[in-house]
mmCIF file of all heavy atoms in Angstrom:
data_model
loop_
_atom_site.group_PDB
_atom_site.id
_atom_site.type_symbol
_atom_site.label_atom_id
_atom_site.label_comp_id
_atom_site.label_asym_id
_atom_site.label_seq_id
_atom_site.Cartn_x
_atom_site.Cartn_y
_atom_site.Cartn_z
ATOM 1 N N PRO A 88 -3.693 -7.338 -3.714
ATOM 2 C CA PRO A 88 -4.432 -6.140 -4.118
ATOM 3 C C PRO A 88 -3.975 -4.908 -3.351
ATOM 4 O O PRO A 88 -3.726 -4.966 -2.146
ATOM 5 C CB PRO A 88 -5.895 -6.496 -3.825
ATOM 6 C CG PRO A 88 -5.831 -7.626 -2.842
ATOM 7 C CD PRO A 88 -4.585 -8.377 -3.150
ATOM 8 N N GLY A 89 -3.862 -3.812 -4.077
ATOM 9 C CA GLY A 89 -3.375 -2.590 -3.450
ATOM 10 C C GLY A 89 -4.083 -1.365 -3.967
ATOM 11 O O GLY A 89 -4.944 -1.426 -4.851
ATOM 12 N N ARG A 90 -3.706 -0.237 -3.386
ATOM 13 C CA ARG A 90 -4.318 1.040 -3.747
ATOM 14 C C ARG A 90 -3.234 2.112 -3.787
ATOM 15 O O ARG A 90 -2.352 2.155 -2.918
ATOM 16 C CB ARG A 90 -5.386 1.413 -2.717
ATOM 17 C CG ARG A 90 -6.145 2.699 -3.006
ATOM 18 C CD ARG A 90 -7.128 3.042 -1.886
ATOM 19 N NE ARG A 90 -8.145 2.008 -1.709
ATOM 20 C CZ ARG A 90 -8.215 1.188 -0.661
ATOM 21 N NH1 ARG A 90 -7.319 1.281 0.326
ATOM 22 N NH2 ARG A 90 -9.167 0.283 -0.578
ATOM 23 N N VAL A 91 -3.316 2.963 -4.795
ATOM 24 C CA VAL A 91 -2.445 4.130 -4.887
ATOM 25 C C VAL A 91 -3.341 5.358 -4.849
ATOM 26 O O VAL A 91 -4.308 5.464 -5.621
ATOM 27 C CB VAL A 91 -1.601 4.121 -6.180
ATOM 28 C CG1 VAL A 91 -0.723 5.366 -6.245
ATOM 29 C CG2 VAL A 91 -0.747 2.857 -6.250
ATOM 30 N N VAL A 92 -3.031 6.292 -3.951
ATOM 31 C CA VAL A 92 -3.807 7.522 -3.818
ATOM 32 C C VAL A 92 -2.923 8.682 -4.254
ATOM 33 O O VAL A 92 -1.845 8.907 -3.697
ATOM 34 C CB VAL A 92 -4.297 7.727 -2.375
ATOM 35 C CG1 VAL A 92 -5.136 9.008 -2.283
ATOM 36 C CG2 VAL A 92 -5.109 6.518 -1.908
ATOM 37 N N ALA A 93 -3.354 9.394 -5.290
ATOM 38 C CA ALA A 93 -2.590 10.512 -5.845
ATOM 39 C C ALA A 93 -3.415 11.784 -5.759
ATOM 40 O O ALA A 93 -4.451 11.906 -6.439
ATOM 41 C CB ALA A 93 -2.210 10.224 -7.292
ATOM 42 N N ASP A 94 -2.991 12.715 -4.912
ATOM 43 C CA ASP A 94 -3.701 13.980 -4.710
ATOM 44 C C ASP A 94 -5.201 13.763 -4.496
ATOM 45 O O ASP A 94 -6.053 14.448 -5.069
ATOM 46 C CB ASP A 94 -3.467 14.919 -5.898
ATOM 47 C CG ASP A 94 -2.082 15.546 -5.864
ATOM 48 O OD1 ASP A 94 -1.387 15.405 -4.833
ATOM 49 O OD2 ASP A 94 -1.685 16.167 -6.867
ATOM 50 N N GLY A 95 -5.522 12.758 -3.665
ATOM 51 C CA GLY A 95 -6.896 12.494 -3.284
ATOM 52 C C GLY A 95 -7.646 11.527 -4.178
ATOM 53 O O GLY A 95 -8.732 11.072 -3.807
ATOM 54 N N SER A 96 -7.123 11.198 -5.340
ATOM 55 C CA SER A 96 -7.765 10.235 -6.248
ATOM 56 C C SER A 96 -7.192 8.845 -5.999
ATOM 57 O O SER A 96 -5.973 8.665 -6.024
ATOM 58 C CB SER A 96 -7.549 10.632 -7.705
ATOM 59 O OG SER A 96 -8.148 11.867 -7.993
ATOM 60 N N ALA A 97 -8.073 7.861 -5.751
ATOM 61 C CA ALA A 97 -7.636 6.507 -5.416
ATOM 62 C C ALA A 97 -7.751 5.588 -6.626
ATOM 63 O O ALA A 97 -8.739 5.627 -7.371
ATOM 64 C CB ALA A 97 -8.465 5.955 -4.262
ATOM 65 N N PHE A 98 -6.723 4.763 -6.818
ATOM 66 C CA PHE A 98 -6.681 3.784 -7.904
ATOM 67 C C PHE A 98 -6.361 2.418 -7.294
ATOM 68 O O PHE A 98 -5.297 2.255 -6.686
ATOM 69 C CB PHE A 98 -5.613 4.147 -8.932
ATOM 70 C CG PHE A 98 -5.777 5.511 -9.552
ATOM 71 C CD1 PHE A 98 -5.205 6.633 -8.951
ATOM 72 C CD2 PHE A 98 -6.501 5.671 -10.719
ATOM 73 C CE1 PHE A 98 -5.344 7.883 -9.519
ATOM 74 C CE2 PHE A 98 -6.650 6.932 -11.299
ATOM 75 C CZ PHE A 98 -6.076 8.043 -10.691
ATOM 76 N N GLU A 99 -7.258 1.461 -7.452
ATOM 77 C CA GLU A 99 -7.017 0.120 -6.948
ATOM 78 C C GLU A 99 -6.350 -0.725 -8.027
ATOM 79 O O GLU A 99 -6.816 -0.748 -9.178
ATOM 80 C CB GLU A 99 -8.319 -0.522 -6.470
ATOM 81 C CG GLU A 99 -8.895 0.181 -5.246
ATOM 82 C CD GLU A 99 -9.968 -0.622 -4.540
ATOM 83 O OE1 GLU A 99 -10.303 -1.733 -5.028
ATOM 84 O OE2 GLU A 99 -10.463 -0.142 -3.499
ATOM 85 N N LEU A 100 -5.266 -1.402 -7.644
ATOM 86 C CA LEU A 100 -4.485 -2.196 -8.590
ATOM 87 C C LEU A 100 -4.419 -3.638 -8.120
ATOM 88 O O LEU A 100 -3.913 -3.930 -7.032
ATOM 89 C CB LEU A 100 -3.064 -1.643 -8.720
ATOM 90 C CG LEU A 100 -2.891 -0.225 -9.259
ATOM 91 C CD1 LEU A 100 -1.408 0.108 -9.371
ATOM 92 C CD2 LEU A 100 -3.583 -0.046 -10.593
ATOM 93 N N ASP A 101 -4.921 -4.541 -8.942
ATOM 94 C CA ASP A 101 -4.758 -5.959 -8.686
ATOM 95 C C ASP A 101 -3.450 -6.444 -9.295
ATOM 96 O O ASP A 101 -2.696 -5.663 -9.890
ATOM 97 C CB ASP A 101 -5.950 -6.738 -9.268
ATOM 98 C CG ASP A 101 -7.214 -6.563 -8.437
ATOM 99 O OD1 ASP A 101 -7.088 -6.374 -7.206
ATOM 100 O OD2 ASP A 101 -8.317 -6.597 -9.014
ATOM 101 N N PHE A 102 -3.203 -7.740 -9.166
ATOM 102 C CA PHE A 102 -1.985 -8.367 -9.672
ATOM 103 C C PHE A 102 -1.815 -8.081 -11.169
ATOM 104 O O PHE A 102 -2.729 -8.304 -11.961
ATOM 105 C CB PHE A 102 -2.062 -9.867 -9.422
ATOM 106 C CG PHE A 102 -0.837 -10.647 -9.779
ATOM 107 C CD1 PHE A 102 0.411 -10.287 -9.303
ATOM 108 C CD2 PHE A 102 -0.935 -11.769 -10.594
ATOM 109 C CE1 PHE A 102 1.537 -11.025 -9.608
ATOM 110 C CE2 PHE A 102 0.183 -12.523 -10.907
ATOM 111 C CZ PHE A 102 1.421 -12.143 -10.416
ATOM 112 N N LYS A 103 -0.667 -7.539 -11.532
ATOM 113 C CA LYS A 103 -0.263 -7.248 -12.910
ATOM 114 C C LYS A 103 -1.050 -6.109 -13.549
ATOM 115 O O LYS A 103 -1.064 -5.977 -14.772
ATOM 116 C CB LYS A 103 -0.327 -8.504 -13.789
ATOM 117 C CG LYS A 103 0.652 -9.600 -13.375
ATOM 118 C CD LYS A 103 0.602 -10.790 -14.293
ATOM 119 C CE LYS A 103 1.598 -11.868 -13.862
ATOM 120 N NZ LYS A 103 1.542 -13.070 -14.736
ATOM 121 N N GLU A 104 -1.687 -5.262 -12.737
ATOM 122 C CA GLU A 104 -2.314 -4.053 -13.260
ATOM 123 C C GLU A 104 -1.366 -2.875 -13.093
ATOM 124 O O GLU A 104 -0.511 -2.859 -12.207
ATOM 125 C CB GLU A 104 -3.636 -3.779 -12.564
ATOM 126 C CG GLU A 104 -4.731 -4.784 -12.929
ATOM 127 C CD GLU A 104 -6.105 -4.368 -12.468
ATOM 128 O OE1 GLU A 104 -6.194 -3.810 -11.344
ATOM 129 O OE2 GLU A 104 -7.068 -4.592 -13.204
ATOM 130 N N ALA A 105 -1.533 -1.862 -13.962
ATOM 131 C CA ALA A 105 -0.588 -0.751 -14.027
ATOM 132 C C ALA A 105 -1.289 0.585 -13.803
ATOM 133 O O ALA A 105 -2.506 0.728 -14.002
ATOM 134 C CB ALA A 105 0.119 -0.741 -15.377
ATOM 135 N N LEU A 106 -0.479 1.574 -13.421
ATOM 136 C CA LEU A 106 -0.967 2.936 -13.225
ATOM 137 C C LEU A 106 0.099 3.912 -13.687
ATOM 138 O O LEU A 106 1.285 3.750 -13.372
ATOM 139 C CB LEU A 106 -1.281 3.184 -11.746
ATOM 140 C CG LEU A 106 -1.696 4.607 -11.345
ATOM 141 C CD1 LEU A 106 -3.028 4.987 -11.985
ATOM 142 C CD2 LEU A 106 -1.779 4.740 -9.822
ATOM 143 N N TYR A 107 -0.333 4.923 -14.438
ATOM 144 C CA TYR A 107 0.544 6.023 -14.827
ATOM 145 C C TYR A 107 0.165 7.260 -14.034
ATOM 146 O O TYR A 107 -1.016 7.626 -13.967
ATOM 147 C CB TYR A 107 0.417 6.321 -16.325
ATOM 148 C CG TYR A 107 1.141 7.587 -16.735
ATOM 149 C CD1 TYR A 107 2.520 7.587 -16.919
ATOM 150 C CD2 TYR A 107 0.445 8.779 -16.917
ATOM 151 C CE1 TYR A 107 3.182 8.750 -17.288
ATOM 152 C CE2 TYR A 107 1.110 9.948 -17.282
ATOM 153 C CZ TYR A 107 2.486 9.922 -17.462
ATOM 154 O OH TYR A 107 3.149 11.077 -17.817
ATOM 155 N N LEU A 108 1.168 7.912 -13.426
ATOM 156 C CA LEU A 108 0.971 9.179 -12.736
ATOM 157 C C LEU A 108 1.825 10.239 -13.414
ATOM 158 O O LEU A 108 3.045 10.084 -13.547
ATOM 159 C CB LEU A 108 1.360 9.074 -11.258
ATOM 160 C CG LEU A 108 0.519 8.142 -10.379
ATOM 161 C CD1 LEU A 108 1.018 8.194 -8.936
ATOM 162 C CD2 LEU A 108 -0.965 8.481 -10.436
ATOM 163 N N GLY A 109 1.176 11.320 -13.839
ATOM 164 C CA GLY A 109 1.901 12.381 -14.513
ATOM 165 C C GLY A 109 2.591 13.330 -13.557
ATOM 166 O O GLY A 109 2.336 13.338 -12.343
ATOM 167 N N THR A 110 3.464 14.134 -14.094
ATOM 168 C CA THR A 110 4.166 15.124 -13.289
ATOM 169 C C THR A 110 3.173 16.093 -12.662
ATOM 170 O O THR A 110 2.103 16.371 -13.214
ATOM 171 C CB THR A 110 5.191 15.895 -14.144
ATOM 172 O OG1 THR A 110 5.959 16.765 -13.307
ATOM 173 C CG2 THR A 110 4.529 16.709 -15.235
ATOM 174 N N GLY A 111 3.492 16.574 -11.475
ATOM 175 C CA GLY A 111 2.639 17.534 -10.780
ATOM 176 C C GLY A 111 1.834 16.960 -9.648
ATOM 177 O O GLY A 111 1.318 17.725 -8.821
ATOM 178 N N ASN A 112 1.700 15.631 -9.570
ATOM 179 C CA ASN A 112 1.017 15.023 -8.426
ATOM 180 C C ASN A 112 1.895 15.206 -7.179
ATOM 181 O O ASN A 112 3.027 14.712 -7.130
ATOM 182 C CB ASN A 112 0.777 13.539 -8.676
ATOM 183 C CG ASN A 112 -0.337 13.281 -9.679
ATOM 184 O OD1 ASN A 112 -1.504 13.322 -9.337
ATOM 185 N ND2 ASN A 112 0.050 13.036 -10.929
ATOM 186 N N GLU A 113 1.354 15.890 -6.178
ATOM 187 C CA GLU A 113 2.179 16.241 -5.021
ATOM 188 C C GLU A 113 2.153 15.181 -3.924
ATOM 189 O O GLU A 113 3.192 14.845 -3.363
ATOM 190 C CB GLU A 113 1.731 17.588 -4.449
ATOM 191 C CG GLU A 113 1.987 18.766 -5.377
ATOM 192 C CD GLU A 113 1.786 20.098 -4.683
ATOM 193 O OE1 GLU A 113 2.112 20.190 -3.475
ATOM 194 O OE2 GLU A 113 1.304 21.042 -5.345
ATOM 195 N N ALA A 114 0.979 14.684 -3.571
ATOM 196 C CA ALA A 114 0.854 13.749 -2.449
ATOM 197 C C ALA A 114 0.438 12.385 -2.988
ATOM 198 O O ALA A 114 -0.681 12.209 -3.479
ATOM 199 C CB ALA A 114 -0.178 14.264 -1.446
ATOM 200 N N VAL A 115 1.345 11.426 -2.905
ATOM 201 C CA VAL A 115 1.090 10.074 -3.399
ATOM 202 C C VAL A 115 1.400 9.093 -2.279
ATOM 203 O O VAL A 115 2.443 9.208 -1.613
ATOM 204 C CB VAL A 115 1.959 9.751 -4.635
ATOM 205 C CG1 VAL A 115 1.712 8.313 -5.104
ATOM 206 C CG2 VAL A 115 1.679 10.739 -5.758
ATOM 207 N N ARG A 116 0.511 8.129 -2.080
ATOM 208 C CA ARG A 116 0.787 7.098 -1.086
ATOM 209 C C ARG A 116 0.377 5.727 -1.620
ATOM 210 O O ARG A 116 -0.502 5.613 -2.482
ATOM 211 C CB ARG A 116 0.089 7.394 0.245
ATOM 212 C CG ARG A 116 -1.411 7.265 0.250
ATOM 213 C CD ARG A 116 -1.983 7.517 1.656
ATOM 214 N NE ARG A 116 -3.415 7.297 1.720
ATOM 215 C CZ ARG A 116 -4.322 8.247 1.518
ATOM 216 N NH1 ARG A 116 -3.932 9.482 1.249
ATOM 217 N NH2 ARG A 116 -5.625 7.942 1.587
ATOM 218 N N PHE A 117 1.044 4.713 -1.086
ATOM 219 C CA PHE A 117 0.822 3.332 -1.480
ATOM 220 C C PHE A 117 0.186 2.577 -0.324
ATOM 221 O O PHE A 117 0.632 2.691 0.818
ATOM 222 C CB PHE A 117 2.146 2.659 -1.854
ATOM 223 C CG PHE A 117 2.941 3.402 -2.900
ATOM 224 C CD1 PHE A 117 4.022 4.201 -2.540
ATOM 225 C CD2 PHE A 117 2.601 3.313 -4.240
ATOM 226 C CE1 PHE A 117 4.753 4.883 -3.492
ATOM 227 C CE2 PHE A 117 3.322 3.991 -5.208
ATOM 228 C CZ PHE A 117 4.404 4.779 -4.841
#
Side-chain angles (χ1 to χ4, degrees):
R90 182 184 299 110
V91 179
V92 181
D94 284 350
S96 297
F98 302 88
E99 293 195 358
L100 298 183
D101 286 330
F102 185 52
K103 296 182 180 179
E104 290 192 321
L106 175 65
Y107 171 79
L108 295 182
T110 186
N112 286 279
E113 293 191 35
V115 178
R116 70 177 185 269
F117 306 101

